[in-house]
Amino acid sequence: MERLNRIVGHLGSAGVEAKECRSLRLPLALRDIKHKLHLPTYKMRMMQEELFKEMDKGLEGKEWTSVLMLPSFVMRREVRAKSGVYFALDLGGTNFRVLKLTLKDSKVIDAKQSKYKIPLEHVVGGTSDGLFGFIADSVAKFIDGSDVANPPLGFTFSFPMKKASLNSGILVRWTKSFNTKGVVGKDVCALLKEQFAKKGINMGVTAVLNDTVGTLVTDYFEDDRAMLGVIIGTGFNVAYWERVRNIPKYMRENPNADPNATMCINMEVGNFDSPHKKVLKYVSNEWDEMVDAASPNKGLGLVEKMVSGLYMGEIARYALLELKQKGLIAGLNGALENKNGFPAWHLSGCLEADDNVLSGVKNLLKNNYGVQTTLEERTHIRHVCDWVVIRSARLAATIIGSVVLKAGYEWDCTVAIDGSVFEKTPNYPLLLQEGFKDLFGSQPYNIRCVLTKDGSGIGAALSAALMSK
């Protein structure tokens, strides 16, 4: 490819017409972009082999691993006839939610919720008292003086936690641009309990979990074949049911635990192969490196940065900027030169079903960037967006399919998935299935991916119900 580019460059310097040079450079540039974003099957299997090793090390707990494999203490139990009122708190992004669910025979018959935008000063450089004080104030507004007597409460805290019990969670590190001070290394349930006490709120945490665990539990209440919970949205993560006997680090700390019980494991798999890149060095490209360098957690979450919606738009922006710099597209009024100038929802919009002149893409670019584009430009932009999404889906399929296979669920498995990328990106579920097909090859499998909404909210309340007496 480099040799061909040099030849075209020589033609240009030799006086070949610019239009003729462009007709040669354009397909080469597009082929180069497609190549950089292509994930062939043999690389998927390289990733699978390394992931198996990292999972084993994470479950053993005796040496460093990029995949934490965190015990959630949420156990797989028969869903009995649960009835009553359950609360949930959901902290995982810039909005915080409080929910109240009423269950009858394990079915949700009533749900109320309120959403509160977290002030930026609590997210970036704020303090633990500020953040958890805001949470407690929000809960106080929600219950509005109602007499609540320590009801079962599930707390979705969608950040890496180390847990010693069902209702404790020590923050390992912040992700998603949070960097509130005084929380890393602390028990978030204890911090919340302290603020509840200050506000006179008679509530305590029954179960603290992340959104991935909540997604699995949500679908498990409907389908006992639900074996994995997955988030493919702003972030990327997987949780799954694992036999306790296969979790040596948990058995060492809980010698009386039932080895035949099944626990949900929060993998924190978005950090796979980070920062060492044993196999990701064969998958990533210079745009991934630029995205990582500009992120607040450089060197960490490298798979998440190639899969999730928070970063897909940036990868596409860098690829499109390369086309512009080569004079092959006109650009987007300076947006391609600015960080987050091409958000993921515009990427998805460029992939919506369209007519033969791509009027939808034309209107999206005109309305959001004020540019007039040719059909050729729109076609190239759409291709780049497509290649970014295909790679995201194939990476996700590699991780999900590998976990299914490692856990022995490939014969009959429902994968519960929440997140805007899975829900709103055109053809993403189909691309996942195509990825499974390549990964499994001739090996039989039966994996169903289902959209499971609001695992972070409803799932937290259902987890409290599942684990309460």
Side-chain angles (χ1 to χ4, degrees), residues 383-440:
H383 279 321
V384 169
C385 294
D386 194 31
W387 296 331
V388 171
V389 168
I390 290 171
R391 187 184 68 156
S392 167
R394 289 179 71 81
L395 284 165
T398 300
I399 301 294
I400 295 167
S402 298
V403 175
V404 169
L405 185 62
K406 184 84 164 61
Y409 297 143
E410 66 271 21
W411 294 104
D412 188 15
C413 176
T414 299
V415 178
I417 306 181
D418 196 4
S420 56
V421 172
F422 178 76
E423 180 183 6
K424 296 180 180 180
T425 305
N427 298 317
Y428 204 93
L430 177 61
L431 292 171
L432 279 178
Q433 290 295 339
E434 290 177 353
F436 294 147
K437 183 178 179 181
D438 287 345
L439 182 68
F440 281 87

Side-chain angles (χ1 to χ4, degrees), residues 214-392:
T215 297
L216 174 53
V217 172
T218 299
D219 199 55
Y220 177 65
F221 263 70
E222 299 291 332
D223 178 4
D224 62 5
R225 298 169 299 173
M227 299 300 180
L228 276 73
V230 179
I231 299 295
I232 313 178
T234 304
F236 171 62
N237 194 20
V238 175
Y240 75 104
W241 297 119
E242 180 63 271
R243 291 284 187 186
V244 167
R245 63 172 174 262
N246 296 329
I247 317 172
K249 63 182 179 184
Y250 177 79
M251 292 295 293
R252 287 195 301 271
E253 296 180 3
N254 301 272
N256 296 322
D258 178 5
N260 295 315
T262 303
M263 179 191 291
C264 187
I265 293 289
N266 166 28
M267 294 182 66
E268 292 299 334
V269 77
N271 196 57
F272 169 61
D273 204 25
S274 307
H276 299 113
K277 297 177 69 173
K278 293 180 181 178
V279 292
L280 289 183
K281 63 184 177 184
Y282 303 112
V283 175
S284 62
N285 55 53
E286 67 267 30
W287 307 318
D288 298 312
E289 292 172 2
M290 288 188 282
V291 166
D292 179 47
S295 71
N297 58 341
K298 183 179 178 182
L300 299 175
L302 297 180
V303 165
E304 182 170 88
K305 289 169 184 172
M306 289 189 274
V307 172
S308 72
L310 187 61
Y311 301 100
M312 279 201 300
E314 279 294 273
I315 296 167
R317 180 179 73 84
Y318 282 124
L320 292 172
L321 181 59
E322 184 172 302
L323 287 181
K324 182 193 173 185
Q325 290 171 340
K326 292 179 178 179
L328 302 175
I329 62 172
L332 299 177
N333 262 346
L336 295 179
E337 288 77 12
N338 297 322
K339 185 178 179 180
N340 299 321
F342 189 71
W345 73 271
H346 289 174
L347 177 149
S348 297
C350 287
L351 297 175
E352 294 286 354
D354 213 336
D355 56 31
N356 58 1
V357 294
L358 301 182
S359 299
V361 178
K362 177 182 179 180
N363 292 333
L364 184 150
L365 298 176
K366 180 181 178 181
N367 294 338
N368 290 283
Y369 301 98
V371 295
Q372 295 289 351
T373 52
T374 66
L375 175 58
E376 182 185 64
E377 287 176 319
R378 296 194 293 274
T379 301
H380 302 329
I381 291 171
R382 186 177 172 102
H383 279 321
V384 169
C385 294
D386 194 31
W387 296 331
V388 171
V389 168
I390 290 171
R391 187 184 68 156
S392 167

Side-chain angles (χ1 to χ4, degrees), residues 77-245:
R77 296 173 172 175
E78 182 181 348
V79 179
R80 296 172 295 174
K82 294 283 185 179
S83 298
V85 175
Y86 303 87
F87 283 80
L89 311 179
D90 176 18
L91 177 66
T94 54
N95 292 311
F96 168 73
R97 290 189 301 154
V98 186
L99 298 91
K100 178 182 178 183
L101 264 63
T102 303
L103 301 185
K104 183 176 181 181
D105 296 331
S106 297
K107 301 292 183 183
V108 178
I109 61 171
D110 186 52
K112 295 181 174 64
Q113 66 169 295
S114 291
K115 183 184 294 186
Y116 306 89
K117 187 166 184 61
I118 304 173
L120 187 61
E121 62 264 27
H122 296 326
V123 174
V124 180
T127 65
S128 62
D129 283 348
L131 178 61
F132 286 90
F134 170 80
I135 292 173
D137 287 337
S138 301
V139 173
K141 290 177 185 176
F142 184 81
I143 61 178
D144 192 24
S146 300
D147 183 20
V148 292
N150 201 25
L153 169 67
F155 180 20
T156 295
F157 186 79
S158 298
F159 304 92
M161 293 179 290
K162 183 178 180 181
K163 301 189 62 177
S165 66
L166 182 65
N167 61 352
S168 72
I170 297 172
L171 177 64
V172 175
R173 64 175 180 272
W174 283 118
T175 57
K176 306 173 188 175
S177 299
F178 273 69
N179 63 357
T180 308
K181 298 174 182 176
V183 186
V184 174
K186 301 289 183 65
D187 183 350
V188 297
C189 295
L191 294 174
L192 181 60
K193 182 178 179 180
E194 180 183 346
Q195 294 299 322
F196 277 171
K198 288 181 180 179
K199 311 292 181 183
I201 300 172
N202 186 19
M203 299 177 83
V205 176
T206 304
V208 60
L209 56 146
N210 77 346
D211 50 358
T212 323
V213 174
T215 297
L216 174 53
V217 172
T218 299
D219 199 55
Y220 177 65
F221 263 70
E222 299 291 332
D223 178 4
D224 62 5
R225 298 169 299 173
M227 299 300 180
L228 276 73
V230 179
I231 299 295
I232 313 178
T234 304
F236 171 62
N237 194 20
V238 175
Y240 75 104
W241 297 119
E242 180 63 271
R243 291 284 187 186
V244 167
R245 63 172 174 262

